[in-house]
Amino acid sequence: SMFALISLHCFLYGCNLFMWKSTRINQNFIFDFAPNTALTHRDAFLMSASIMCTVVTALVINLFLRNAGASYANAVPGGLIVLSAGLLFCPFNVFYRSTRYCFMRIMRNIIFSPFYKVLMADFFMADQLTSQIPLLRHMEFAACYFMAGSFRANPYETCTNSQQYKHLAYAISFLPYYWRAMQCLRRYFEEHDINQLANAGKYVSAMVAAAVRFKYSATPTPFWVWLVLISSSGATVYQLYWDFVKDWGFFTPKSKNLWLRDGLILKNKFTYYISMMLNLVLRLAWTESVMKIRVSKNETRLLDFSLASLEIIRRGHWNFYRLENEHLNNVGKFRAVKTVPLPFRELETD
């Protein structure tokens, strides 16, 4: 599931790149990427397909070894993780080295927030991480699983039943929100923009809601149910307001487009209304945590994976409108100019 979530995010990023190109949104200029080395939608789709093909190959090898009774069969996923890490840090000019190094540089800036200046690509990637919290938890489990030697002798629950593991999972759930809040604070001290403090408050509310849900999972009493409903509902309203008004630029007063903004790139305005409803529905996925649906352990894992996938889909959907608003209005104030060059040269070469 860890690699599947990465592959899904790459696929959706490819969809974003295709739509940005189709609508003449110059994402390379906005993100300050070099046009000659920046990924295209074909590259993103190729990366997504390659990841899934590699995972399926590892899965087949694992099944053959298990069927043959090999004692080291469950080490295959560990080998896949080592291979992936080696490819990411590979110093040779193969497999999109410039993109890999750019990714690592952005991740360094995020992890060490607020000590690095916040660029558009930094905060955009940090927002992606807030939608990949299940992926971070899967990475934590994989590390615990192999470091504890569970793949050789210990059962699957060796890590998940550990209190230290649960506490670390709790901390990992906070990290993306913490990094994003620190970025907002860094920008506030540099720009003295009160909106950055309000944006940091959004991520703090998300951390509070996550903490309450974590406590509720350990102590499912009526008192904590009400606290989950109050904290999560408040955080959701906060996030929806920021999505629609600040990030997407909708609900502009006296706009000629009802509930939207004056400048729209997509010709069919109905698409924007559908997108708003979809974002609203997917933002409410947390309600599953208080429903207490009675399912088996494997079905629970499948449900968690499905919810994680829906959040990634929501983020990919959010990405397009966020960059559209940046392209039209320079809302992030990362550029001194209001107009963004169109990628005419790229369109001509195609």
Side-chain angles (χ1 to χ4, degrees):
S1 59
M2 181 173 70
F3 287 98
L5 293 176
I6 296 174
S7 177
L8 176 61
H9 216 134
C10 288
F11 174 78
L12 290 171
Y13 183 61
C15 294
N16 289 147
L17 291 173
F18 176 78
M19 286 300 300
W20 290 331
K21 179 181 177 182
S22 301
T23 53
R24 295 190 174 186
I25 296 175
N26 195 341
Q27 75 280 352
N28 292 333
F29 178 82
I30 295 174
F31 290 133
D32 200 20
F33 291 160
N36 58 327
T37 58
L39 290 181
T40 66
H41 63 278
R42 298 182 184 89
D43 296 322
F45 290 148
L46 178 61
M47 291 173 62
S48 175
S50 299
I51 292 171
M52 286 311 301
C53 287
T54 305
V55 170
V56 171
T57 301
L59 176 63
V60 171
I61 293 174
N62 176 263
L63 292 175
F64 272 118
L65 292 176
R66 287 175 64 90
N67 190 51
S71 59
Y72 52 85
N74 288 339
V76 173
L80 181 60
I81 293 174
V82 172
L83 175 65
S84 302
L87 181 61
L88 178 62
F89 294 100
C90 178
F92 303 109
N93 192 17
V94 293
F95 302 114
Y96 305 104
R97 183 178 68 174
S98 59
T99 299
R100 290 187 284 109
Y101 279 26
C102 178
F103 171 77
M104 290 189 288
R105 183 172 62 254
I106 291 173
M107 288 300 300
R108 177 205 62 190
N109 295 349
I110 293 172
I111 293 172
F112 292 101
S113 298
F115 301 110
Y116 284 93
K117 182 178 177 61
V118 182
L119 303 177
M120 178 74 183
D122 298 336
F123 100 77
F124 197 83
M125 185 64 197
D127 274 328
Q128 310 306 305
L129 292 178
T130 61
S131 295
Q132 281 285 18
I133 291 175
L135 169 64
L136 299 179
R137 288 179 175 175
H138 290 325
M139 293 174 65
E140 177 206 7
F141 173 78
C144 176
Y145 183 75
F146 288 103
M147 291 175 65
S150 299
F151 69 97
R152 287 199 304 267
N154 300 322
Y156 180 86
E157 292 79 10
T158 300
C159 288
T160 55
N161 290 337
S162 168
Q163 285 299 319
Q164 291 85 350
Y165 174 89
K166 293 178 180 179
H167 292 156
L168 185 57
Y170 172 70
I172 286 177
S173 301
F174 273 74
L175 280 178
Y177 297 121
Y178 167 78
W179 290 330
R180 191 65 187 89
M182 290 299 102
Q183 288 181 332
C184 293
L185 291 178
R186 169 68 186 250
R187 293 195 62 194
Y188 169 74
F189 286 116
E190 287 183 344
E191 304 169 13
H192 304 290
D193 183 1
I194 196 66
N195 284 324
Q196 296 301 326
L197 278 184
N199 198 12
K202 180 186 70 173
Y203 297 103
V204 172
S205 70
M207 286 191 283
V208 172
V212 173
R213 286 198 296 269
F214 182 85
K215 180 62 178 179
Y216 168 70
S217 63
T219 313
T221 62
F223 171 76
W224 285 106
V225 171
W226 282 107
L227 281 185
V228 166
L229 291 174
I230 294 171
S231 61
S232 295
S233 297
T236 300
V237 172
Y238 203 157
Q239 292 162 349
L240 287 171
Y241 168 79
W242 210 268
D243 285 345
F244 295 148
V245 178
K246 299 295 184 178
D247 291 334
W248 293 2
F250 295 163
F251 295 102
T252 302
K254 299 180 181 180
S255 172
K256 62 182 180 181
N257 301 306
L258 182 64
W259 297 347
L260 303 177
R261 49 177 139 78
D262 288 335
L264 300 175
I265 287 182
L266 300 180
K267 295 181 179 179
N268 190 350
K269 289 192 292 185
F270 193 61
T271 304
Y272 292 94
Y273 298 117
I274 294 176
S275 297
M276 292 169 69
M277 290 303 300
L278 181 62
N279 190 68
L280 170 63
V281 172
L282 295 181
R283 277 289 191 187
L284 295 174
W286 60 266
T287 55
E288 178 273 335
S289 63
V290 296
M291 290 181 180
K292 290 297 181 182
I293 302 174
R294 296 184 178 275
V295 292
S296 66
K297 184 174 295 185
N298 287 333
E299 290 172 338
T300 299
R301 294 170 187 159
L302 180 60
L303 179 61
D304 291 342
F305 174 75
S306 300
L307 292 175
S309 300
L310 287 175
E311 172 57 21
I312 294 173
I313 292 172
R314 188 200 67 78
R315 179 59 62 182
H317 176 257
W318 177 92
N319 288 344
F320 173 80
Y321 296 102
R322 176 62 184 85
L323 220 65
E324 179 196 28
N325 194 30
E326 187 68 32
H327 175 87
L328 293 173
N329 303 304
N330 192 30
V331 294
K333 301 178 182 177
F334 287 96
R335 294 287 178 179
V337 295
K338 188 174 181 179
T339 57
V340 178
L342 302 179
F344 289 120
R345 183 177 302 175
E346 183 180 353
L347 292 175
E348 290 173 357
T349 58
D350 288 346

